[in-house]
Amino acid sequence: MIIKTFEFNLLQENTYVVSDDTKECVIIDCGAYYEEERMAITQYIEKEGLKPKRLLCTHGHFDHNFGIDTIFQAYGLRPEIAAEDEYLINDLSDQFKDIVGVPLKRDFPKAGHFFQPDEVIRFGNHELKILKTPGHTPGGVVFYCEEEKVAFSGDTLFRMSVGRTDFKGGSYEDLMNSLKNVVGKLPADTVVYSGHGPKTIIGEELRYNPYLH
């Protein structure tokens, strides 16, 4: 599995392009905001000869979805997200206005698919299990590749920290439950690629992250 990490937009969000030797790929949390960022991700895909199959969203916050219009325009892929976060991904412009003070004048595509219970995302020779992890948002999910022992946690888990729960729809109780009963149950050697900041390892988080004790 090849994982290309991009750090995008004013909130330094992590976008991932995940591929393998078949050249099929998925794009996770496309936060490309500036034109040079949008060009960077499409140029990488073209340079590597990749074939984008899915546009996956860990949750519906604007900083993780700035670039979904670019992916839709370039590859015809609509965002895929948990139904509980549909209200968020339909409201990206107003989310931006609430934080920055001005509306975002872009035409974002509607969600093309809502994750089903126990759904598995398949691309190339790999599978990503969808783990429901509400808390940061009602529909937050983690994408987990058991074979590679890799997880993409969005804003559920960061290195030695966790996502905020004071936004609309957030729940500290739900987040703690997700961390204890879902994320914390992953194998200790699972590498976690977060929505912001550096990657981490489940074992280290269980040992040192105060929110997982």
Side-chain angles (χ1 to χ4, degrees):
M1 178 181 280
I2 302 165
I3 301 170
K4 173 66 175 179
T5 306
F6 296 88
E7 187 179 276
F8 283 153
N9 71 57
L10 62 170
L11 295 181
Q12 297 179 301
E13 178 268 351
N14 290 331
T15 292
Y16 300 102
V17 178
V18 186
S19 60
D20 63 19
D21 56 7
T22 70
K23 296 296 185 177
E24 290 190 355
C25 72
V26 296
I27 300 156
I28 299 175
D29 285 2
C30 188
Y33 175 75
Y34 300 105
E35 187 60 33
E36 57 267 30
E37 295 175 344
R38 293 164 178 261
M39 290 178 60
I41 192 167
T42 55
Q43 287 176 351
Y44 170 77
I45 289 169
E46 300 307 315
K47 179 183 177 183
E48 298 299 321
L50 301 180
K51 297 172 282 189
K53 307 302 289 185
R54 314 282 286 264
L55 172 57
L56 307 177
C57 309
T58 60
H59 65 293
H61 282 156
F62 68 92
D63 54 317
H64 291 255
N65 294 285
F66 275 136
I68 61 175
D69 54 338
T70 289
I71 302 304
F72 177 65
Q73 291 161 11
Y75 308 110
L77 299 178
R78 291 184 178 273
E80 303 183 32
I81 196 166
E84 294 88 344
D85 271 17
E86 181 183 16
Y87 77 102
L88 286 169
I89 206 165
N90 285 345
D91 196 32
L92 296 177
S93 293
D94 283 344
Q95 283 188 56
F96 184 81
K97 182 179 180 180
D98 289 344
I99 300 296
V100 180
V102 295
L104 185 62
K105 296 180 179 178
R106 285 184 175 154
D107 187 17
F108 293 106
K110 299 292 186 183
H113 175 70
F114 298 115
F115 300 134
Q116 302 301 308
D118 300 319
E119 183 173 352
V120 174
I121 302 294
R122 294 179 175 84
F123 69 99
N125 297 319
H126 287 85
E127 295 183 347
L128 296 175
K129 294 182 178 180
I130 299 172
L131 309 179
K132 296 189 69 173
T133 54
H136 180 64
T137 65
V141 301
V142 168
F143 302 112
Y144 172 54
C145 181
E146 184 175 11
E147 178 187 3
E148 301 277 354
K149 294 186 178 179
V150 165
F152 300 90
S153 67
D155 288 0
T156 294
L157 177 67
F158 304 129
R159 180 169 174 78
M160 300 302 139
S161 188
V162 297
R164 294 172 58 172
T165 57
D166 57 336
F167 295 123
K168 181 181 179 182
S171 168
Y172 184 80
E173 182 180 356
D174 286 349
L175 182 64
M176 292 302 103
N177 183 65
S178 294
L179 291 168
K180 178 181 179 180
N181 296 315
V182 181
V183 179
K185 299 295 186 183
L186 295 175
D189 55 351
T190 302
V191 179
V192 179
Y193 290 81
S194 300
H196 303 267
K199 63 185 178 182
T200 187
I201 300 173
I202 287 294
E204 292 185 7
E205 296 302 314
L206 289 171
R207 187 173 182 181
Y208 298 115
N209 188 329
Y211 294 97
L212 271 69
H213 291 167

